[in-house]
């Protein structure tokens, strides 16, 4: 059964039958972001099979919400949110951090409000889940929407390490 996500028009929680389309949209997301980090020359396509397996596992996870919008014959858009329990601190009272992981709309369905609807659905879920902060990485195209929804520059320095 396909469940609607809140009262956001056309947005529903993903189901197992959506996995091939979720993989397609996630691959499109990385193609759009480009660069050596998101689309390394030596990356190959092996990650797509692993992605399908992980998505199937995550569909049932309480700390993950995958929202989609249906198109005519494929998914028009999707967005993924996760919640991580970190240690509480003065800047993060309950230690619960939300992360928006890749909102993407198929090019044939852009400028119809799908990303906005998906984001509102995710933000409602984060509120209901009592997160203290929601983080995301914005593309240049997505940044105006995120700022309109209340996202601001992150106060923490961001670094990463790969073993």
């Amino acid at each position: 059964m396909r469940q609607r996500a809140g009262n956001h028009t056309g947005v529903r929680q993903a189901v197992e039958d959506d996995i091939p389309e979720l993989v397609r949209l996630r691959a499109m997301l990385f193609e759009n972001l480009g660069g050596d980090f998101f689309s390394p020359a030596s990356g190959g396509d092996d990650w797509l099979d692993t992605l399908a397996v992980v998505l199937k596992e995550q569909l049932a996870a309480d700390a993950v919400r995958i929202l989609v919008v249906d198109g005519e014959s494929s998914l028009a858009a999707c967005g993924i949110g996760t919640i991580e329990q970190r240690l509480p601190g003065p800047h993060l009272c309950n230690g619960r951090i939300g992360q928006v992981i890749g909102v993407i709309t198929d090019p044939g369905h852009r400028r119809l409000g799908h990303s906005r609807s998906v984001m509102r659905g995710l933000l409602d879920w984060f509120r209901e889940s009592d997160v203290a902060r929601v983080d995301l990485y914005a593309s240049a195209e997505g940044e105006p929407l995120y700022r309109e929804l209340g996202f601001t520059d992150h106060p923490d320095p961001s670094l990463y390490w790969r073993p």
Side-chain angles (χ1 to χ4, degrees):
M1 179 169 122
R2 295 187 173 201
Q3 254 185 324
R4 295 277 171 217
N7 58 3
H8 304 286
T9 308
V11 177
R12 64 173 174 81
Q13 289 186 49
V15 296
E16 193 171 331
D17 288 346
D18 294 320
I19 290 174
E21 277 295 291
L22 290 168
V23 168
R24 179 184 70 84
L25 288 171
R26 292 284 297 164
M28 184 182 301
L29 173 75
F30 291 112
E31 289 168 10
N32 289 347
L33 290 173
D36 289 339
F37 180 79
F38 291 107
S39 187
S42 63
D45 287 338
D46 295 346
W47 68 277
L48 295 171
D49 293 333
T50 304
L51 174 62
V53 170
V54 172
L55 283 168
K56 184 176 179 180
E57 294 168 357
Q58 296 298 311
L59 283 172
D62 290 338
V64 178
R65 180 66 47 104
I66 304 173
L67 299 180
V68 297
V69 175
D70 291 308
E72 298 79 36
S73 60
S74 60
L75 289 182
C78 73
I80 302 170
T82 64
I83 298 173
E84 179 182 350
Q85 180 64 60
R86 295 188 184 173
L87 295 174
H91 62 291
L92 198 60
C93 293
N94 67 2
R96 292 174 64 76
I97 294 182
Q99 178 78 42
V100 176
I101 303 176
V103 175
I104 181 81
T105 300
D106 185 275
H109 297 276
R110 291 188 178 156
R111 303 283 176 225
L112 299 173
H114 297 319
S115 289
R116 179 180 313 281
S117 293
V118 165
M119 277 301 299
R120 285 186 173 150
L122 288 173
L123 293 176
D124 285 350
W125 176 65
F126 288 131
R127 270 188 217 96
E128 293 162 9
S129 301
D130 198 30
V131 300
R133 185 181 84 214
V134 176
D135 296 339
L136 61 73
Y137 294 101
S139 65
E141 296 82 24
E143 187 174 346
L145 168 63
Y146 302 132
R147 289 195 181 276
E148 183 182 315
L149 292 171
F151 285 83
T152 60
D153 292 329
H154 203 290
D156 296 336
S158 180
L159 303 172
Y160 76 95
W161 176 76
R162 284 189 175 171

